[in-house]
Every structure is written in structure tokens, then in C-alpha cells.
Amino acid sequence: MTELISTGLVAAYPQRNLGQEYGVLVARAKVIDVTGYTLTAFSEQNKEHFIACVKAKKPIKARILLVDPDSEAAGIMAAAENKEVSQYLASHRTLIKSLSGLKGVHIKITKRHLSMMVYRIDDVLFTGPYPFTGNSTTATTLKVGRGWLFDRQMEDFDRLWEEAAPYTLDEPQPIVAAPPSAPTATPAA
């Protein structure tokens, strides 16, 4: 039993998309690391929160690692999910346009196949294998707190991150809060 506790394993789930549980943790997050082939749900669920944090001058430090949609790895995963690779490219473009200009957000691309999903929110890590066939949202997911499994998964993420290339569609523009509007003068009568 001591060996199991030392892994940091907290729970196991039969599916990947744990939106409500993720949302509670993201709402107070300071650091997020995430890997994926499209990260469509991640982008959709978190865009407004990331923008609000930047405007409040409390940006989340996020490292987003995407698989290159032109890579062999993406082609294999697209086939497993019964999707077109063009859907991956469209998802990448959407994520890049949504998040790449935000302070604290860094996006990189890798050509490597991802054997395990990593979604770290501060000291909680969600991880699990990518399925051989079927949509990745149906894959088994483990919730891990600090322990050797957390450390090992993050060591692998850090290695992938270091070898990956920055990914942008163009030069991102930082999002800043709009300045207060100046009072307008009323014309003299």
C-alpha cells in the first residue's frame, strides 16, 4: 500500500474530458502544462479565463505542447480517431489565434507521437494513454498528486518541451486591458 501512495495516484476515470473538475482547478491555477493533438476542448473551456487573468494582471504560466498536424504522428492519431488531419490543422489555428498573444502562454510543436496525455494544473496532474482507436476523450485518465508518478510524467513533458519548436501563425500581439475612455466634450450651444 505504501508503494501505491508514493505514486501520488488520487483517482482513475474511464474518460478524458473531466470539464467540471478541470474547471475548478483552472479557476485558481498559477501553472498549467498540457499536451495534445488538437486541444480543442482545452481552448474552448479556458480562453475567456486566460484573458480575464491577463487583464487582472495575474496571468497563468502555461506551456502548451501540440503535435505537428503535418507529422506522421498526427496522421496516425487522426486515423485512430476517425478524423481528417485537416481537422487537426484547423484546431491548431483556432488555439493559436485564441491563446498565442496572451502573456504567460507559450505554445510549442513537436513531431513526436504522444504516448501519454499530460494536463498539469499546479500540483495536480491528469494523465493517461492515448487510445489505439477511438476518440481521445474516451481514454482512461489518472488523477495524480505529488509523488514519483507526477515527477516522472513531468520529467518527460520537460524533455519534450525542450526539444519542441515555438509555434505561431504570425507574431502575436499581447492582450492588454483597454485604457479607460476619455470624457467627451459637449459642444457649446
Side-chain angles (χ1 to χ4, degrees):
M1 185 62 123
T2 304
E3 290 173 10
L4 181 61
I5 292 170
S6 71
T7 66
L9 183 62
V10 175
Y13 305 95
Q15 79 282 349
R16 172 95 8 112
N17 192 355
L18 304 169
Q20 187 173 5
E21 186 161 357
Y22 296 157
V24 170
L25 294 169
V26 169
R28 61 177 191 258
K30 291 180 176 45
V31 177
I32 292 177
D33 294 321
V34 63
T35 61
Y37 286 85
T38 66
L39 296 176
T40 303
F42 174 81
S43 179
E44 291 170 353
Q45 293 168 356
N46 296 307
K47 176 184 172 186
E48 297 304 320
H49 180 67
F50 274 75
I51 292 170
C53 288
V54 169
K55 288 181 178 180
K57 299 193 184 316
K58 295 180 181 179
I60 297 170
K61 180 185 174 209
R63 296 185 297 171
I64 300 169
L65 183 63
L66 290 166
V67 173
D68 183 344
D70 293 326
S71 69
E72 181 181 0
I76 292 168
M77 191 63 188
E81 291 190 308
N82 200 27
K83 293 182 179 178
E84 295 295 321
V85 175
S86 60
Q87 290 177 279
Y88 282 20
L89 181 59
S91 294
H92 278 215
R93 289 183 185 278
T94 300
L95 183 134
I96 297 293
K97 287 178 182 176
S98 297
L99 301 176
S100 69
L102 295 173
K103 183 176 182 175
V105 175
H106 303 278
I107 302 171
K108 287 189 173 185
I109 189 166
T110 183
K111 292 188 179 297
R112 283 183 175 260
H113 169 71
L114 301 174
S115 58
M116 300 286 281
M117 175 270 290
V118 168
Y119 187 7
R120 172 201 180 188
I121 308 166
D122 294 327
D123 288 337
V124 176
L125 171 67
F126 295 91
T127 190
Y130 282 94
F132 183 73
T133 60
N135 194 300
S136 62
T137 60
T138 64
T140 302
T141 301
L142 304 176
K143 180 179 181 181
V144 180
R146 286 294 183 166
W148 68 259
L149 184 55
F150 181 103
D151 295 340
R152 192 159 299 159
Q153 289 294 92
M154 291 312 302
E155 286 170 11
D156 285 347
F157 176 90
D158 289 339
R159 280 191 225 118
L160 284 169
W161 183 259
E162 287 305 314
E163 78 171 24
Y167 185 31
T168 58
L169 296 175
D170 48 46
E171 283 302 309
Q173 299 300 314
I175 294 177
V176 294
S181 54
T184 55
T186 46

